[in-house]
């Protein structure tokens, strides 16, 4: 039965009871209604009626009641039905309450675990924050060192650039001087080559002259030798004759 039906039933019961105060037979009918309700309650809680109670059952049947009594009986049935429904709902609510308590206990246990996990995570976070702070300090120190190194490197680079420019100028001067020296050497080498070539030609002429002189000398020696032999041959018989 719905809440609207319950409200209508209870409101109707109140209106009926209030209307009874305006009826001339108020006291008698109210007593009859109370008695009827008590008898009906006894009927609900007692065992099935025996044959001796059959006449009373007939008296309490709805067919034998007037409108007010019938309305009271119907209202009472509605109230009893509402009570039964409320008991059924209470059982369901008790089951839901038990389930909810178990869920709450489980959630509390999970909450304790999660709180412990959160504490552990917080410890890890603090450790990470400490490490991060140390790394940040190291980074700041490295950044400062890098800036100092960059400034020093810039100064050194400027000095080296100036020195390199000087060396480049020296190199160009030396290269120009070397080019001039190479040109002078080339001219001197050409001059010496020409001298060597001239001396070679002169040497060749001298060799030819020497060879000619040697040939003439050889021919002269041969002539002298021939003459000597002839002279020796000419004087040899005279000597032999003198000896005899």
């Amino acid at each position: 039965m719905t809440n609207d039906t319950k409200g209508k039933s209870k409101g109707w019961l109140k209106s009926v009871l209030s209307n009874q105060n305006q009826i001339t037979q108020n006291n008698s009918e109210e007593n009859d209604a109370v008695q009827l309700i008590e008898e009906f309650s006894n009927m609900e809680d007692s065992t099935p009626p025996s044959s001796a109670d059959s006449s009373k059952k007939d008296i309490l049947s709805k067919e034998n009641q007037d409108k007010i009594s019938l309305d009271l009986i119907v209202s009472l049935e509605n109230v009893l039905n509402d009570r039964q429904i409320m008991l059924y709902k209470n059982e369901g609510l008790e089951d839901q309450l038990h389930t909810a308590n178990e869920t709450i206990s489980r959630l509390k246990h999970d909450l304790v675990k999660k709180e412990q996990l959160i504490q552990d995570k917080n410890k890890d976070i603090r450790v990470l924050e400490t490490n991060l702070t140390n790394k940040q300090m190291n980074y700041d120190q490295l950044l400062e060192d890098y800036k100092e190194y960059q400034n020093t490197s810039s100064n050194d680079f400027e000095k080296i650039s100036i020195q390199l420019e000087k060396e480049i100028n020296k190199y160009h001067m030396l290269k120009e001087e070397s080019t001039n020296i190479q040109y002078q050497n080339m001219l001197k080498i050409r001059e010496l080559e020409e001298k060597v070539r001239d001396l070679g030609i002169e040497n060749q002429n001298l060799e030819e002259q020497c060879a000619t002189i040697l040939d003439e000398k050889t021919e002269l020696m041969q002539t002298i030798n021939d003459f000597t032999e002839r002279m020796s041959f000419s004087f040899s018989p005279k000597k032999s004759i003198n000896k005899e």
Side-chain angles (χ1 to χ4, degrees), residues 192-213:
L192 291 174
E193 285 178 350
E194 290 179 357
K195 287 183 178 181
V196 169
R197 187 167 54 252
D198 293 339
L199 289 173
I201 293 170
E202 185 178 359
N203 187 27
Q204 185 175 2
N205 292 329
L206 290 173
E207 287 180 354
E208 290 177 356
Q209 291 178 3
C210 183
T212 301
I213 292 170

Side-chain angles (χ1 to χ4, degrees), residues 30-41:
E30 188 176 1
N31 291 330
D32 292 337
V34 173
Q35 184 179 0
L36 182 61
I37 291 171
E38 291 178 354
E39 289 177 355
F40 188 79
S41 297

Side-chain angles (χ1 to χ4, degrees), residues 75-136:
S75 297
L76 181 60
E77 288 178 351
N78 291 333
V79 170
L80 292 175
N81 288 330
D82 290 342
R83 179 177 177 274
Q84 189 67 28
I85 290 171
M86 289 300 295
L87 291 174
Y88 178 74
K89 286 185 176 181
N90 286 335
E91 290 179 357
L93 290 173
E94 287 179 355
D95 292 336
Q96 292 180 3
L97 180 61
H98 180 68
T99 303
N101 288 330
E102 290 181 350
T103 303
I104 290 170
S105 297
R106 187 175 66 256
L107 290 175
K108 285 182 178 179
H109 183 67
D110 293 339
L111 181 62
V112 172
K113 287 185 177 180
K114 289 184 182 298
E115 287 178 350
Q116 183 64 36
L117 182 61
I118 289 172
Q119 290 179 358
D120 295 337
K121 292 296 182 182
N122 287 330
K123 291 180 181 179
D124 294 337
I125 289 171
R126 286 193 293 271
V127 172
L128 290 174
E129 287 178 348
T130 302
N131 293 333
L132 182 61
T133 302
N134 293 331
K135 288 183 179 180
Q136 184 65 37

Side-chain angles (χ1 to χ4, degrees), residues 217-234:
K217 183 180 179 181
T218 302
E219 185 177 357
L220 181 61
M221 289 296 295
Q222 184 67 35
T223 301
I224 292 170
N225 289 330
D226 291 340
F227 178 75
T228 302
E229 288 179 357
R230 283 196 303 269
M231 289 299 291
S232 298
F233 182 76
S234 298

